[in-house]
Amino acid sequence: MTRTARRPSPARAAAAALSSVALMATLSACGGTASGESADSLTEVSLLFKGALTVCTDIPYAPFEYEEDGKPTGFDIDLVREVADALKADLDVVDVSFDDITSGDSLNNDVCDVAISAMTITGERARVLDFSSPYFDAKQALITPRGSGLDQLQELAGKRVGVQKDTTGETYLSDFAPATTQVVAYDDAAGLQTALTTGEVDAAMLDNTVSGQFVGDNPKLKLAREFDTGEQYGMAVKKDGNVPLLRQINSTLAGLREDGSYQEIYTTYFG
């Protein structure tokens, strides 16, 4: 698609969202009840289906979420499974579009209890979702064909650059690439990877955490440059609708870091 209007940079938006997360954490710690809410609604985790934590994610996006032997796996899946275990619940993974997650449709329409999909915390998304504390730091990466000479943002003028729809990679290009850059959005990472390897686009912008997969699958590609955007990933729950679950997620993440389990999971997928 063509270049869109300029929007706040991911770094600024992430900072605003993190402030929102901090406010939520403060309110949660106070333990008070809002008008019209019972004490139980703020202390007991309520799930859509008894005994199961239903999780929305967008597959494939290796190494965060993908299928292996017909079953969902990946860094994100292993993390959210720890949340399910803490709740003594089964894990039920639902594959939905990334747009349905970031727009709030999936969570706010009760398709799932929680969403995790290598999703950057931004101010725009925080208006329709409640985010957990951050669990992963990321940057943006420019992937180009070897020998193309495309190594800088300025060199993308007049070029077709692929992104995944409604991602921070799309926002970053809209903010900083030359005005003549043609930003082409794909519904999922698989479509973006195919477009890049077949020459449908001249380059791609995506999270650096998955760029290794793109380059590894096609030696004719290279990671040309990384951009430090200050992005952090978070899990999300229904807006203003599941404070107890948000508390449990944050508690689980803190516990995983304290006992070293987070590092073990990280090493499994990132070395």
Side-chain angles (χ1 to χ4, degrees), residues 45-57 80 83-84 87 89-96 106-107 110-116 236-238 242 245 249:
V45 175
S46 177
L47 301 177
L48 293 174
F49 301 99
K50 185 176 181 180
L53 179 67
T54 308
V55 179
C56 282
T57 192
V80 78
V83 177
L87 293 170
D90 294 331
L91 185 67
D92 184 12
V93 178
V94 181
D95 185 13
V96 301
S106 293
L107 286 167
D110 294 329
V111 175
C112 48
D113 299 298
V114 60
I116 184 170
V237 301
K238 185 176 185 177
N242 214 331
L245 179 55
I249 292 169

Side-chain angles (χ1 to χ4, degrees), residues 142-147 189-204 206 210-224:
L142 177 65
I143 308 300
T144 63
R146 293 185 182 276
L192 174 57
Q193 186 171 18
T194 299
L196 183 59
T197 55
T198 59
E200 185 177 320
V201 293
D202 301 300
L206 66 159
V210 295
S211 60
Q213 183 79 27
F214 276 51
V215 175
D217 289 346
N218 191 334
K220 294 182 179 180
L221 302 176
K222 69 173 183 177
L223 194 162

Side-chain angles (χ1 to χ4, degrees), residues 106-200:
S106 293
L107 286 167
N108 297 324
N109 289 318
D110 294 329
V111 175
C112 48
D113 299 298
V114 60
I116 184 170
S117 196
M119 177 169 50
T120 300
I121 301 170
T122 70
E124 181 178 357
R125 292 170 182 172
R127 285 194 286 270
V128 293
L129 302 169
D130 282 342
F131 279 102
S132 70
S133 54
Y135 70 84
F136 199 93
D137 297 334
K139 301 178 182 179
Q140 287 300 310
L142 177 65
I143 308 300
T144 63
R146 293 185 182 276
S148 65
L150 300 177
D151 298 307
Q152 305 286 341
L153 280 179
Q154 299 90 324
E155 295 165 346
L156 300 179
K159 302 297 184 182
R160 291 170 57 85
V161 184
V163 296
Q164 185 174 349
K165 182 181 177 183
D166 294 319
T167 62
T168 47
E170 181 178 12
T171 303
Y172 189 79
L173 276 181
S174 297
D175 282 348
F176 299 111
T180 57
T181 302
Q182 301 177 56
V183 182
V184 185
Y186 294 86
D187 289 335
D188 53 40
L192 174 57
Q193 186 171 18
T194 299
L196 183 59
T197 55
T198 59
E200 185 177 320

Side-chain angles (χ1 to χ4, degrees), residues 221-242:
L221 302 176
K222 69 173 183 177
L223 194 162
R225 193 174 184 85
E226 289 187 345
F227 305 91
D228 191 353
T229 53
E231 296 178 51
Q232 294 181 303
Y233 296 164
M235 300 188 204
V237 301
K238 185 176 185 177
K239 185 66 179 178
D240 299 327
N242 214 331

